[in-house]
Amino acid sequence: MLKKLSSNSFFSYILISLSVIILYTPTLNNGFFNIDDEKLVLNNPYIKDISFKNFIAIFNPSGIPASTEKAYKPLRSASFMIDYALGGYNPSVYHMGNLIIYLVTCLLLYRILVDQIRHSALWVAAFFALHPVHTEPVAWVSARSDLLAGFFCLLSFFAYQKSISKITSLTYAGSIIFWILAFFSKSVAVAFPIVIIGYDICVRSRPWRQNLIRWSPFIFLSIMACVFSIYRAKITGHIYDDFLFFSDRLLYIALLIQRYILTTLVPLRLSFYYTPFPDLSQIVFEVVLSLFLCLLLIMLGLFWWLKDKKKVFILILFFTFLLPVIQIIPFPVMQADRYLFYSVLSIAIILGWVMEILLRHKQNKLRLTLGIGILMFYFSLSWQRIQYWESSVFIWQDAVSKSSRPFAKLQLGRAYFKEEQYKKALDNFLRVTEEKPNYYGGFYWAGRSLMSLGRLNEANFFLIKSKNISPENSHSYYQLGLIALWQENLDNAENFLQKAIAIEPQFWEAYYLLGLTYMKSDKPSQALEKLCKSLHPSNKNYDDALKVIRKLGSGTCGNE
């Protein structure tokens, strides 16, 4: 009976859809997260209008300032345009977009698997759909790039499969186009041609010489995309100058491989934030274990290559999309659950093989018990992780419980600050200043919290400290200027705000505040000039600036 149901495509599509919808519907009530969602959605003027001008800015590698988006992911911003057109800043619309993309991806995966492993296709798709590491890209609006890249890579692979019989077919061209769209979603897609090459050699058992022409467009475009991605990430600060010795880099790569394998197999301690670059001398046993595991994987790959090349494809699937993010290229984020979005498929396929073996040995009860048990285990862990994503406070509380680094406490403080719990925010920021006395962020946000609590003199002390630690950060000067304006110290306010603008010439809020300062100093012409200068779509005070300009009665600005 189970075999008949699992082979029924309609039933399988319904079952996968219901599972995903039931699991992730609670995310529709979530708000925006305090990392990236603010700058990519709430403070991103390029998504507010579906226009040719904004599309050009989004797809132009230098069109969007690095302060808004460092990595090149134009398709994500384009999708946010649609969300904004449908619901403005209603977070439910953005979360619904993530859920729909993920659901369609899971259904597409099942369709692809049916052609390869028909009797266990439903099991594999279900294992993939319910795996806990997917909670991060689905529940976090800004992680939509992972969902889009995953969907278009699968679509490209599906089209490539269908084009095998005829190289000039539209499906082959579609495969290339879909892969390009995957790259426009997230640059890790540059590694996707490895999957195609691995599929042809390992699964289809075709010699490389017979497929070189088919692969050549993918290889050429992949090299070009890789060079472009590294260059743009370098100039925007998304990758950093290498500070690791070659030997240390190899050890970190081995460590990451071990941790990612463990995370996919036993996803019990997932976290949004992992301690970056731990001291290797403090985890010698784990490093040795990681090196031993890597040696075993190499031996296993060689054994499968000689005995059954199809199994090598499982290793290819797992590691292909991890290659750009396991520190081969110096990258600021050492470890993240969302990087496993594609790798989980390998684990799902291995579990599907177990289901297939049990089917061949007519162990249907054991097969059913094991399969449902794993799915319930995944579902319960995913449900638990989804609860953390209800608010930024919950997710950072979980991160602080798993990492002792000041960054996690800083972000928990910012989450409290956003929810106007300023005393709790201040407590976290003060802990950061104690643990890391030369950390600009702790002092800056402590100052901001004290401002919100009305303790201006104390706030002034912390902001001056943050200014001294990072003298080229314009925001400390801006907040000091605001305090000076509140305290009617107009000369200091003018000096601080001019300094903020000198550091960041496109600091539109600073122009607005400087305009107010000139008004209080009875300098109407200078006030009008600065207020007009502040009229930029990304200025949070745009409407207020317009009102003040009209009250001045001195005419209008040229850009109004």
Side-chain angles (χ1 to χ4, degrees):
M1 180 66 178
L2 180 65
K3 183 178 177 180
K4 290 181 180 179
L5 286 175
S6 62
S7 62
N8 186 311
S9 294
F10 178 75
F11 166 80
S12 299
Y13 286 128
I14 294 297
L15 188 61
I16 294 170
S17 299
L18 286 176
S19 300
V20 171
I21 291 171
I22 291 171
L23 178 60
Y24 285 104
T25 292
T27 64
L28 301 182
N29 298 319
N30 295 355
F32 292 112
F33 190 43
N34 71 329
I35 292 289
D36 288 349
D37 285 357
E38 293 178 355
K39 65 179 181 179
L40 294 176
V41 179
L42 299 178
N43 300 328
N44 187 354
Y46 300 96
I47 69 169
K48 292 183 178 180
D49 181 34
I50 301 179
S51 64
F52 181 74
K53 178 182 178 181
N54 282 345
F55 269 108
I56 292 297
I58 286 172
F59 282 89
N60 181 355
S62 59
I64 297 182
S67 57
T68 300
E69 187 167 20
K70 289 185 178 181
Y72 184 67
K73 302 174 182 178
L75 212 58
R76 175 177 62 182
S77 295
S79 72
F80 288 159
M81 277 185 178
I82 298 173
D83 291 336
Y84 185 85
L86 293 174
Y89 289 126
N90 181 356
S92 296
V93 176
Y94 296 81
H95 287 294
M96 176 63 78
N98 278 21
L99 176 54
I100 291 173
I101 296 168
Y102 184 63
L103 174 59
V104 174
T105 300
C106 294
L107 296 177
L108 176 60
L109 173 63
Y110 170 73
R111 174 63 188 86
I112 293 172
L113 291 169
V114 165
D115 293 336
Q116 303 295 323
I117 43 176
R118 184 172 186 81
H119 294 307
S120 58
L122 177 57
W123 287 111
V124 174
F127 292 144
F128 177 87
L130 300 183
H131 199 286
V133 300
H134 291 158
T135 55
E136 183 174 310
V138 179
W140 183 21
V141 170
S142 295
R144 180 176 296 180
S145 54
D146 294 271
L147 301 177
L148 288 169
F151 169 69
F152 283 114
C153 280
L154 280 178
L155 201 56
S156 177
F157 183 79
F158 182 61
Y160 184 82
Q161 278 186 313
K162 296 301 179 183
S163 72
I164 285 173
S165 59
K166 191 176 181 182
I167 191 172
T168 58
S169 65
L170 289 176
T171 50
Y172 179 77
S175 177
I176 296 175
I177 292 171
F178 292 138
W179 171 60
I180 292 173
L181 291 176
F183 170 73
F184 283 158
S185 302
K186 191 169 185 178
S187 57
V188 294
V190 297
F192 173 72
I194 298 174
V195 174
I196 286 179
I197 295 171
Y199 175 74
D200 281 337
I201 293 176
C202 300
V203 179
R204 296 181 61 235
S205 299
R206 296 294 189 272
W208 66 270
R209 291 183 182 86
Q210 295 181 10
N211 291 278
L212 192 56
I213 294 178
R214 289 176 58 80
W215 300 338
S216 55
F218 289 96
I219 294 173
F220 173 75
L221 291 173
S222 179
I223 293 172
M224 297 296 292
C226 187
V227 172
F228 165 78
S229 299
I230 293 174
Y231 172 74
R232 189 180 189 279
K234 189 80 172 178
I235 62 175
T236 58
H238 200 57
I239 59 176
Y240 51 81
D241 292 330
D242 195 2
F243 65 89
L244 295 173
F245 292 111
F246 179 73
S247 58
D248 288 343
R249 179 170 302 286
L250 292 179
L251 293 177
Y252 277 119
I253 291 172
L255 182 66
L256 279 173
I257 290 172
Q258 174 266 134
R259 289 186 174 182
Y260 278 135
I261 291 175
L262 185 62
T263 299
T264 52
L265 289 174
V266 191
L268 293 175
R269 283 185 58 81
L270 301 180
S271 177
F272 176 77
Y273 176 76
Y274 292 92
T275 300
F277 303 103
D279 186 350
L280 296 175
S281 64
Q282 301 297 319
I283 51 172
V284 174
F285 178 76
E286 186 181 2
V287 171
V288 172
L289 182 64
S290 301
L291 291 172
F292 180 70
L293 177 62
C294 290
L295 181 61
L296 284 180
L297 287 172
I298 294 172
M299 294 172 63
L300 180 63
L302 292 174
F303 176 77
W304 280 349
W305 181 264
L306 296 173
K307 296 293 183 180
D308 187 356
K309 290 182 181 179
K310 288 183 179 180
K311 294 179 181 178
V312 177
F313 187 61
I314 300 301
L315 295 178
I316 292 174
L317 279 178
F318 187 88
F319 288 108
T320 292
F321 295 102
L322 289 178
L323 290 176
V325 293
I326 58 172
Q327 297 305 312
I328 295 175
I329 298 171
F331 195 65
V333 180
M334 180 176 173
Q335 182 180 357
D337 294 341
R338 60 189 177 276
Y339 296 160
L340 290 167
F341 183 82
Y342 320 89
S343 303
V344 165
L345 181 56
S346 298
I347 305 301
I349 291 175
I350 291 173
L351 292 173
W353 277 351
V354 174
M355 298 293 105
E356 195 83 27
I357 291 170
L358 292 175
L359 178 64
R360 288 201 299 267
H361 288 81
K362 299 181 180 180
Q363 298 291 327
N364 290 328
K365 289 185 179 180
L366 178 59
R367 179 174 181 253
L368 180 61
T369 302
L370 180 62
I372 292 179
I374 293 172
L375 291 176
M376 290 180 64
F377 175 65
Y378 281 174
F379 187 94
S380 63
L381 291 178
S382 295
W383 187 265
Q384 183 183 30
R385 288 301 302 169
I386 288 171
Q387 309 314 306
Y388 287 117
W389 283 96
E390 285 184 8
S391 75
S392 299
V393 168
F394 293 160
I395 201 68
W396 283 114
Q397 284 176 337
D398 176 65
V400 168
S401 70
K402 296 170 181 175
S403 174
S404 60
R405 292 294 179 94
F407 179 81
K409 296 183 181 69
L410 179 74
Q411 296 305 327
L412 176 57
R414 289 189 62 195
Y416 279 127
F417 186 91
K418 185 179 179 181
E419 295 189 2
E420 300 182 357
Q421 300 184 51
Y422 301 120
K423 289 184 178 180
K424 290 184 177 180
L426 180 61
D427 289 341
N428 281 277
F429 296 139
L430 291 178
R431 291 193 191 100
V432 174
T433 60
E434 292 170 1
E435 295 175 15
K436 200 170 183 179
N438 293 321
Y439 189 20
Y440 154 84
F443 289 95
Y444 172 78
W445 283 102
R448 291 284 305 273
S449 300
L450 288 164
M451 287 175 66
S452 299
L453 291 169
R455 297 156 59 179
L456 298 185
N457 291 332
E458 294 174 82
N460 198 71
F461 169 81
F462 278 91
L463 288 168
I464 288 176
K465 183 73 173 178
S466 72
K467 171 182 72 70
N468 293 337
I469 294 172
S470 180
E472 295 304 313
N473 193 298
S474 60
H475 292 276
S476 295
Y477 292 98
Y478 175 81
Q479 298 299 331
L480 287 167
L482 182 57
I483 291 175
L485 182 61
W486 287 348
Q487 295 178 331
E488 301 291 332
N489 191 338
L490 301 181
D491 289 338
N492 278 353
E494 182 178 339
N495 291 333
F496 283 131
L497 293 169
Q498 286 178 342
K499 181 65 175 178
I501 292 171
I503 295 171
E504 187 178 347
Q506 295 183 340
F507 199 160
W508 313 117
E509 290 82 0
Y511 284 108
Y512 169 72
L513 208 60
L514 184 56
L516 296 184
T517 302
Y518 283 137
M519 283 184 62
K520 287 199 171 189
S521 300
D522 197 23
K523 300 175 181 178
S525 59
Q526 291 173 276
L528 181 63
E529 177 192 353
K530 299 305 178 185
L531 289 168
C532 289
K533 186 75 173 179
S534 75
L535 292 180
H536 188 274
S538 63
N539 185 1
K540 300 175 186 177
N541 303 309
Y542 184 92
D543 293 334
D544 293 332
L546 276 178
K547 291 177 184 178
V548 176
I549 289 170
R550 287 163 184 159
K551 284 182 181 179
L552 283 173
S554 301
T556 60
C557 304
N559 59 337
E560 183 182 347

